[in-house]
Structure formats: structure tokens, C-alpha cells
Amino acid sequence: MSRGVKTMRIGIIGTGWFSKVHAGILSGMEGVQVKAICGTSAEKAQQMASRYGASGYGQLSDMLDGERLDAVYICVPPLAHGEVERQLLQRKIPFLVEKPLGIGTEVPLDILSGIQSSSLITSVGYHFRYMETSLRLKEALARQSAGMAVGQWMGSMPQVAWWRKQAGSGGQFIEQTTHLVDLLRYCAGEVEEVQALYGQRMQRREDLGVEVADVGTVSLRLRSGFIANISNTCLLPTGVSRVGLTFYTEEGMLDWSPERLRMSETGQTTEWPNGSDPYALESAAFIHAVRTGDASRILSDYADAFRTHLVTCAALESAAAGRPILISE
Ligand SMILES: NC(=O)c1ccc[n+]([C@@H]2O[C@H](COP(=O)([O-])OP(=O)(O)OC[C@H]3O[C@@H](n4cnc5c(N)ncnc54)[C@H](O)[C@@H]3O)[C@@H](O)[C@H]2O)c1
């Protein structure tokens, strides 16, 4: 690190899987120090903190009183949003928050209004946006005449207990498939209307304590008239999955998956692997923004992510009400 450049002191909230992914990336970045970890207990937080030479806290207010942090990463389950963001807003501490923003729209809407009135720097963990194949897809779609897209997030039930509870995760479309809805918005534009069918087909639902829908299909109409369908299931056995989004255009097919982009035109198929680490790029963009005030490299801030969240929550509402839901501008 060149002399005179201030080290960024980062706090992390959450001691689960993804807080460790972010901590690993941050601790490998030049000019960045993981200073503090906050968990549901001081013991768990100290255990994780010891790996990074950081301090552990069981209460967020203690961490924020005890440290002078430049930014905080929020890696908590969807049910745990609200108070955490409010405390950071009050202290004007920029944050990167993992998706989804919550289990419904009420809490995120309140946080959004606080962010807008304070101009706080935020970033949301829609990491697909940072993949080079997503940029290539977005650029190709700008040149081509697209008709529709069909996508899917077909996988198994994550093991964490909160995920299978409706009031814990909001369900698969809000918690997981949100990444594909966000990619659709990023590449093809705003969603105007959604219509969803959800179902519960898994045989061992009761044994496993599953409340959320385990199959679902959501049709979406964009403001441009472009239509899409994104389906999901979490009833597959572990290790069997298919995740992706395919665009159908007058020029051919653009088939995107987290691993690669495949473009099929008449007589020719071209494939680009995704070579970059989107999580590292996401953190680099956020840390750059906190260091310099230039947020232009952040590809998903809270206000943008809120629009994705509105779509996934509208899908849940549509499935419950049995009718299409219009999304306000
Ligand atoms: N962008 C991505 O690719 C990606 C990947 C994985 C997870 N995530 C997101 O990160 C968030 C955290 O996921 P995870 O896999 O780390 O979950 P996890 O269950 O492994 O960890 C969650 C942590 O949150 C903390 N926590 C705070 N309040 C809590 C509460 N009321 N109940 C339970 N834990 C509480 C605990 O420290 C816990 O360890 C989720 O929103 C998830 O969607 C994003």
C-alpha cells in the first residue's frame, strides 16, 4: 500500500457462511483490515474474529461504540434486517448488505428512505452483476432484438434452519432466485407486472419443518413489453442443480449461467467462461467508493436492489392472491 493511503477498517455483522467468504476476500485486499466481527453471541464472534486478528462483539452497539469503522458488511439472514441498518444509518457508516433486503417490503422501504435522505454509500450483494459474462450479455442485448427470456434456479434446500421458514427467508424466490430477477432487470430493464404460481410438492416437508413453497413459476412483463418466465424449486437432492437465464432474440440465443455465456447464432456457437471472481470485484468497487467517495463502480446500490426486491415480493403476493400484481414505478 502506498504511503499516506488510509487503511480501511471494516466491521462484519454475522458469523455464518457468507460473512466468512467476505472476511476472506477483505483480509486479502491491500489497504483493508477486518477490525471487528459482531455475532449473535460474543463467543461466536470472538472465535471468528481471532482468524483475522479482529475483535469480537455480541452486540452491534458495543462494536460501533468500541471501534472507528469506515464501513460494515451485513451478512445476516433476511429476517434479521432493520435495526442493524438503522444503527449504521444513524452513525453514517457505509454498508454492503447481502441480498435479500428483507422478507417483505416494509423494512427495506424504511431503510431506503433513510439512505436517500443521508446519501450514504451502500452496496448490495447481487454479485452476478460483477461477472464479465453478465456485462457481455447486457451489451449483446443492447444490440439485439430480444423477445423473451426463460430462467430457472433449480436446486436443493439449503441446510440453515431459517431458510425453510417463511418468516425466516421469505421463500426461495425472495431469498435465492432474486439473483436471476436482478440479472434480468440489469440486462433487460424494469419489471411492470408479475404473475406467480407456487406449490408445495416435497414429500418430507413436515419431517424437515419446511414452510416455504418448494416449486414455483413466475411470469414477468417488463415495461418494454419484453416477457420472461423464471421458475424455481428447492426439492432436488443435494448436488443436483440447474441455474441460468436464456434470452431469445431475432439474432439467436444468449444462454447465461454462473459458469459461462453461450451465444448461438445461425451456423455458429460461441462460449465465454466466467473467469473473474465477482465477489472480489464487488468488494473492490465498494471499498473504492468508501475510500474515495466515487460510487460509480458499485453496480447494485440499495435503491436499485430495492426494485429487484419489490419484484420478488410481488411474486409472493401474486401466488397468494392468485392474480397478477402490477409494480409501481
Ligand atoms: N450473494 C451470495 O452469493 C450469497 C451467498 C450466500 C449467502 N448470501 C446471503 O447472506 C446472508 C447470510 O447467509 P449465510 O449463508 O451466511 O447464513 P448463515 O445462517 O450461515 O449465517 C447467518 C449469520 O447471521 C447472524 N445472525 C444475526 N441475526 C440472526 C438471527 N436472528 N438468526 C440467525 N442468525 C442471525 C449469525 O451470526 C449467523 O451466523 C443471507 O441473506 C444470504 O442470502 C448471499
Side-chain angles (χ1 to χ4, degrees):
M1 192 79 221
S2 50
R3 271 191 199 184
V5 178
K6 184 176 167 252
T7 297
M8 295 285 104
R9 294 165 308 219
I10 310 299
I12 296 180
I13 307 171
T15 57
W17 173 42
F18 230 62
S19 60
K20 290 175 186 126
V21 172
H22 283 303
I25 290 168
L26 288 164
S27 58
M29 283 170 76
E30 215 183 336
V32 176
Q33 196 180 2
V34 177
K35 279 290 286 175
I37 311 279
C38 180
T40 45
S41 78
E43 197 188 353
K44 277 198 224 163
Q46 276 151 10
Q47 205 175 22
M48 179 173 157
S50 65
R51 294 193 202 178
Y52 307 100
S55 307
Y57 295 87
Q59 292 291 333
L60 179 56
S61 53
D62 291 346
M63 177 170 97
L64 300 179
D65 287 342
E67 307 278 345
R68 282 183 22 256
L69 298 173
D70 295 300
V72 166
Y73 278 54
I74 307 172
C75 309
V76 299
L79 74 150
H81 290 289
E83 196 37 41
V84 167
E85 288 89 340
R86 282 185 202 106
Q87 286 199 43
L88 296 172
L89 264 167
Q90 266 170 13
R91 296 176 192 242
K92 298 189 171 36
I93 300 177
F95 60 82
L96 183 151
V97 58
E98 266 307 336
K99 44 49 67 180
L101 302 180
I103 55 169
T105 55
E106 201 179 319
V107 168
L109 188 59
D110 177 49
I111 306 297
L112 176 63
S113 83
I115 288 168
Q116 284 173 332
S117 51
S118 67
S119 306
L120 192 73
I121 291 173
T122 58
S123 174
V124 181
Y126 284 111
H127 68 288
F128 284 171
R129 291 191 179 209
Y130 294 87
M131 292 180 172
E132 57 208 30
T133 48
S134 302
L135 180 61
R136 196 179 283 276
L137 171 65
K138 187 175 166 66
E139 287 171 352
L141 283 169
R143 291 191 305 271
Q144 300 190 6
S145 354
M148 67 179 297
V150 177
Q152 65 287 316
W153 193 299
M154 307 307 199
S156 54
M157 182 86 56
Q159 294 305 308
V160 283
W162 54 262
W163 202 93
R164 52 196 67 188
K165 302 293 175 203
Q166 190 59 41
S169 67
Q172 185 178 13
F173 204 76
I174 286 177
E175 212 287 328
Q176 200 171 51
T177 316
T178 186
H179 280 297
L180 293 179
V181 174
D182 189 67
L183 184 66
L184 177 72
R185 283 190 54 245
Y186 182 55
C187 294
E190 292 303 336
V191 178
E192 181 170 65
E193 183 181 355
V194 298
Q195 185 154 21
L197 289 175
Y198 287 4
Q200 302 186 326
R201 303 285 301 159
M202 186 186 273
Q203 299 298 305
R204 293 168 55 235
R205 290 182 60 83
E206 277 186 27
D207 297 350
L208 297 171
V210 177
E211 289 174 4
V212 295
D214 50 51
V215 293
T217 187
V218 181
S219 295
L220 309 98
R221 187 155 50 80
L222 275 55
R223 293 196 195 290
S224 61
F226 183 94
I227 58 170
N229 177 273
I230 301 178
S231 299
N232 61 198
T233 184
C234 51
L235 59 59
L236 287 173
T238 307
V240 182
S241 66
R242 173 174 292 158
V243 176
L245 189 59
T246 307
F247 289 81
Y248 298 88
T249 80
E250 287 185 49
E251 289 75 12
M253 291 189 299
L254 295 159
D255 184 35
W256 183 95
S257 78
E259 294 77 34
R260 52 107 187 103
L261 173 66
R262 183 180 296 143
M263 202 180 293
S264 306
E265 297 156 296
T266 308
Q268 179 181 331
T269 297
T270 319
E271 192 167 306
W272 295 269
N274 181 56
S276 53
D277 176 355
Y279 299 115
L281 293 172
E282 176 185 85
S283 266
F286 177 62
I287 297 295
H288 172 79
V290 174
R291 190 189 292 288
T292 64
D294 166 20
S296 61
R297 296 185 198 170
I298 294 175
L299 300 182
S300 171
D301 64 11
Y302 201 96
D304 196 324
F306 181 72
R307 298 222 51 93
T308 293
H309 190 61
L310 273 184
V311 176
T312 58
C313 290
L316 179 65
E317 188 185 343
S318 169
R323 60 179 169 82
I325 301 291
L326 292 175
I327 297 163
S328 57
E329 274 188 54

